[in-house]
């Protein structure tokens, strides 16, 4: 049910959900380092795209929990 409501998100937008009280660029740096700590998420930190697909957002939510 909830998986259907997950949409693609920009990386800074997703980072702001996890770290809402800091600037978008700083939030992205923190999220990127957090993703790099998990072997199954590390590839998501290295993507050249600025947008995560719904399936990628779902994987992040499953591993890190919803923000």
């Amino acid at each position: 049910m909830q998986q259907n409501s997950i949409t693609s998100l920009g990386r800074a937008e997703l980072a702001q959900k996890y770290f809402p009280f800091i600037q978008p660029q700083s939030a992205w740096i923190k999220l990127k380092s957090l993703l790099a700590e998990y072997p199954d998420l590390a590839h998501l930190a290295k993507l050249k795209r600025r947008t995560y697909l719904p399936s990628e957002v779902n994987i992040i939510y499953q591993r890190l929990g919803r923000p």
Side-chain angles (χ1 to χ4, degrees):
M1 283 183 277
Q2 285 183 334
Q3 288 180 343
N4 294 339
S5 65
I6 295 175
T7 61
S8 61
L9 290 172
R11 65 185 190 190
E13 183 181 4
L14 181 60
Q16 282 291 128
K17 289 180 179 280
Y18 281 99
F19 306 103
F21 301 110
I22 60 176
Q23 294 294 317
Q25 182 64 30
S26 298
W28 164 239
I29 291 169
K30 286 186 75 130
L31 180 61
K32 186 176 176 180
S33 66
L34 184 62
L35 292 173
E37 291 179 15
Y38 294 89
D40 56 334
L41 299 178
H43 72 283
L44 296 173
K46 298 176 186 176
L47 291 177
K48 299 294 182 190
R49 287 187 275 120
R50 291 183 175 251
T51 306
Y52 287 118
L53 300 173
S55 60
E56 294 166 337
V57 173
N58 187 37
I59 291 168
I60 293 169
Y61 283 173
Q62 287 176 357
R63 192 70 164 115
L64 301 180
R66 285 188 172 264

